[in-house]
Structure formats: C-alpha cells, structure tokens
Amino acid sequence: MAVISEETIDYVSILAKLELSPEEKEQAGRDMGRLLEYIDKLAELDTGNMEPLSHVLPLENVFREDVVTNGDESSMILENAPEQRDNMFSVPRTF
C-alpha cells in the first residue's frame, strides 16, 4: 500500500476545509493509499488499441428540428394588452 505522509493529509484536509481527528487522519491516509494503488493498477492496462471517447454509450442528437408552427400571432397577443403603442405592449416606466 502506498504510504501517504501526515503533511499531505494535513494539506488535503486544509484544502477540503476539514478538521480531522488523529483516527480520521489515519483512515484518510489508508484511503488515499488505496486510491493511489488503484490508479497505478489502471495505468497497467493496455489502452493502445482503444479509440478515445467522451461517453460510454453512443450519443445521438435527440432534439427535433426547429419549425415554426403558429406563425405571427402578434396582433392576437396584443389584443390582451391593456395599452399598446407601435405594435408593442405599453407599460409604465420603472425609473
């Protein structure tokens, strides 16, 4: 198992804004060591024949084509406006 120094554990706990008890520091050291061992094990894999990918599953665009279906209904919408001017809603000034 990889040995993680106490200084490294203290530094990581400061970055993570954690206050660790001595027992928690010991456990964190073991956990970090196991994590580094796993990373080393992954480095042993032969990935030379693998294509780079960004996702495990094939992704396809699921968006529909953007098609206008209701046309220009601005005159109908403006019928609901209490006041209108120049084919726009007229609202009170805010400043």
Side-chain angles (χ1 to χ4, degrees):
M1 184 184 322
V3 177
I4 307 296
S5 69
E6 191 169 331
E7 293 82 22
T8 302
I9 295 169
D10 289 337
Y11 181 68
V12 171
S13 66
I14 289 170
L15 291 176
K17 297 185 181 194
L18 297 173
E19 291 184 29
L20 300 176
S21 68
E23 296 82 22
E24 291 171 325
K25 285 183 182 181
E26 189 176 315
Q27 181 62 43
R30 287 194 300 267
D31 291 344
M32 287 182 202
R34 282 195 298 257
L35 180 65
L36 291 176
E37 284 179 3
Y38 185 71
I39 291 171
D40 289 341
K41 182 180 266 189
L42 290 175
E44 294 173 8
L45 294 174
D46 178 23
T47 59
N49 295 332
M50 300 296 293
E51 285 187 40
L53 56 99
S54 62
H55 200 279
V56 178
L57 301 174
L59 297 177
E60 295 180 22
N61 188 355
V62 295
F63 299 115
R64 64 172 171 75
E65 189 66 31
D66 190 16
V67 178
V68 177
T69 58
N70 56 355
D72 183 21
E73 297 178 354
S74 60
S75 59
M76 188 171 63
I77 293 170
L78 284 172
E79 289 176 8
N80 295 317
E83 293 183 41
Q84 53 179 304
R85 184 179 57 191
D86 298 329
N87 205 27
M88 294 182 280
F89 284 94
S90 178
V91 296
R93 292 180 184 215
T94 57
F95 55 93

